[in-house]
């Protein structure tokens, strides 16, 4: 992905003026910013380059970005890949007198990450079970990085609250932002009502809606949002026909908890632990929400 190197030195321009609209004088601000962007590769697209700078319709310093121009200026060697790439100059013009229908603005997109605590049952490098030399599990946890995507956009007023009921806490049925099905969780949907001035005489209410999506990836499963508890407990089958259960006991005959195999029989100390699989979230088609990468032009 292209890298924003910063604003071009000594490139800032701007002016203020008073303009009369009927009997009302209004102050107008206009300015421009020029940015230097290093492409990831020589054939990276202009659309990808433009994602590093303010988008058309975005607000900066109280003004709206009304135009963007991009120009490739020279070929350079990428400091990380050591391959030929391109250096770009991008000029963005901002104006305080541009009034847009918020429904025409591009959605705001933000990536972040959070930590999720999870049980760890085996060495992540060797795959060796985390247990004592006598075969007993050692309970430990670790923090796992979860990528988080936030999308904010304006929608018609009023917002339909059924969207929250139908889609919150569901996972994607189709590919979503490059993630395979069942790898993204729609963790929350929030809505604020805002009143926006469209002209000197017209104001209108809009719903400002935000979506928070969490991504989880696990090379050992294609359904990483499933619950995967360790199969252990107090009881095991008392016979080979599974007709009754009995308390697991230790060598001295005292009740204890023990690991179980896939059928529910007590697991030997040298065998691999078994993890059960349970669905925690419903799978849904999110197409109607209009938030996939292709739908919002990313």
């Amino acid at each position: 992905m292209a890298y924003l190197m910063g604003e071009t030195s000594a490139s800032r321009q701007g002016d203020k003026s008073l303009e009369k609209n009927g009997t009302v004088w209004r102050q107008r601000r206009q300015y421009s910013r020029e940015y230097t962007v290093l492409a990831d590769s020589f054939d990276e697209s202009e659309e990808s380059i433009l994602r590093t700078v303010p988008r058309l319709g975005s607000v900066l310093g109280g003004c709206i970005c009304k135009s963007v121009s991009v120009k490739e200026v020279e070929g350079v060697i990428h400091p990380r890949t050591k391959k030929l790439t391109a250096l770009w100059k991008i000029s963005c013009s901002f104006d305080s007198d541009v009034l847009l229908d918020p429904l025409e603005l591009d959605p705001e997109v933000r990536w972040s990450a959070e930590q999720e605590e999870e049980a760890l049952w085996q060495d992540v490098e060797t795959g060796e079970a985390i247990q004592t030399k006598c075969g007993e599990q050692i309970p430990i946890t670790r923090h796992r990085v979860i990528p988080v995507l936030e999308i904010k956009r304006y929608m018609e007023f009023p917002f339909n609250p059924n969207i929250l009921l139908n889609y919150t806490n569901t996972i994607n049925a189709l590919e979503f932002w490059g993630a395979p099905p069942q790898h993204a969780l729609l963790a929350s949907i929030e809505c604020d009502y805002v009143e926006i001035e469209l002209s000197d005489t017209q104001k209108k209410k809009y719903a400002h809606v935000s979506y928070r999506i969490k991504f989880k990836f696990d090379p050992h499963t294609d359904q990483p949002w499933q619950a995967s508890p360790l199969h252990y407990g107090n009881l095991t089958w008392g016979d080979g026909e599974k007709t009754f259960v009995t308390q697991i006991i230790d060598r001295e005959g005292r009740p204890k908890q023990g690991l179980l195999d896939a059928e529910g029989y007590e697991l030997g100390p040298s065998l691999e632990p078994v993890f059960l699989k349970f669905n925690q979230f419903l799978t849904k088609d999110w197409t109607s929400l209009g938030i996939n990468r292709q739908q919002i032009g990313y």
Side-chain angles (χ1 to χ4, degrees):
M1 182 177 178
Y3 173 70
L4 175 61
M5 301 181 68
E7 288 189 36
T8 305
S9 177
S11 66
R12 292 193 173 195
Q13 298 183 46
D15 61 76
K16 289 184 179 180
S17 61
L18 286 175
E19 297 185 0
K20 193 172 185 180
N21 185 359
T23 60
V24 179
W25 286 89
R26 299 178 61 182
Q27 178 177 271
R28 182 177 182 181
R29 295 174 54 236
Q30 294 175 293
Y31 66 90
S32 63
R33 295 288 183 268
E34 185 177 86
Y35 303 93
T36 302
V37 176
L38 178 67
D40 189 55
S41 61
F42 201 78
D43 58 355
E44 188 167 6
S45 67
E46 289 185 13
E47 184 62 32
S48 177
I49 301 295
L50 288 172
R51 289 176 190 158
T52 62
V53 300
R55 294 170 63 89
L56 285 175
S58 62
V59 178
L60 181 66
C63 296
I64 295 177
C65 182
K66 70 174 186 178
S67 67
V68 177
S69 62
V70 56
K71 181 181 179 181
E72 181 182 333
V73 292
E74 63 176 311
V76 296
I77 300 299
H78 198 289
R80 177 176 56 84
T81 64
K82 308 303 180 184
K83 294 182 179 180
L84 182 64
T85 186
L87 203 64
W88 296 74
K89 297 290 185 183
I90 303 177
S91 298
C92 300
S93 298
F94 298 84
D95 197 323
S96 65
D97 198 42
V98 177
L99 293 173
L100 294 176
D101 186 334
L103 299 180
E104 298 178 5
L105 297 177
D106 290 330
E108 301 172 51
V109 175
R110 177 176 179 267
W111 283 97
S112 61
E114 64 181 39
Q115 301 282 342
E116 180 183 82
E117 191 172 22
E118 66 176 6
L120 186 63
W121 304 107
Q122 63 181 18
D123 186 299
V124 296
E125 289 283 354
T126 66
E128 180 182 357
I130 299 175
Q131 59 186 21
T132 70
K133 299 305 180 181
C134 299
E136 291 183 288
Q137 293 297 310
I138 303 174
I140 64 173
T141 61
R142 69 167 178 176
H143 286 95
R144 178 188 192 136
V145 175
I146 302 292
V148 179
L149 171 65
E150 295 176 86
I151 300 173
K152 294 182 180 181
R153 67 173 184 181
Y154 289 99
M155 297 179 65
E156 292 283 3
F157 173 88
F159 177 73
N160 182 0
N162 286 328
I163 294 177
L164 281 78
L165 297 174
N166 293 332
Y167 291 99
T168 301
N169 269 354
T170 65
I171 53 179
N172 59 316
L174 306 174
E175 181 181 303
F176 183 77
W177 280 75
Q182 302 189 357
H183 281 63
L185 169 68
L186 185 44
S188 68
I189 303 174
E190 298 179 5
C191 174
D192 295 311
Y193 288 140
V194 295
E195 189 173 63
I196 295 179
E197 181 180 332
L198 298 180
S199 68
D200 292 335
T201 59
Q202 182 186 9
K203 294 182 178 179
K204 186 177 178 181
K205 280 188 176 180
Y206 292 88
H208 196 206
V209 184
S210 62
Y211 305 85
R212 183 177 174 85
I213 302 101
K214 298 182 179 182
F215 296 82
K216 185 182 286 189
F217 301 92
D218 187 335
H220 302 103
T221 177
D222 58 0
Q223 295 178 294
W225 287 105
Q226 281 187 327
S228 184
L230 183 66
H231 196 195
Y232 77 104
N234 298 286
L235 304 176
T236 184
W237 291 113
D239 64 355
E241 302 299 324
K242 300 183 183 179
T243 57
F244 69 96
V245 294
T246 184
Q247 170 69 53
I248 299 175
I249 57 175
D250 61 18
R251 292 180 180 179
E252 283 73 37
R254 294 172 298 193
K256 70 164 190 174
Q257 288 188 327
L259 295 175
L260 303 173
D261 66 14
E263 299 296 323
Y265 291 100
E266 188 175 3
L267 193 68
S270 62
L271 299 179
E272 291 287 332
V274 173
F275 297 88
L276 303 179
K277 299 291 184 181
F278 299 98
N279 295 314
Q280 301 183 90
F281 307 104
L282 293 175
T283 301
K284 281 264 187 172
D285 184 347
W286 296 347
T287 303
S288 64
L289 297 177
I291 58 174
N292 210 340
R293 181 166 56 190
Q294 300 86 349
Q295 294 175 296
I296 63 176
Y298 271 78

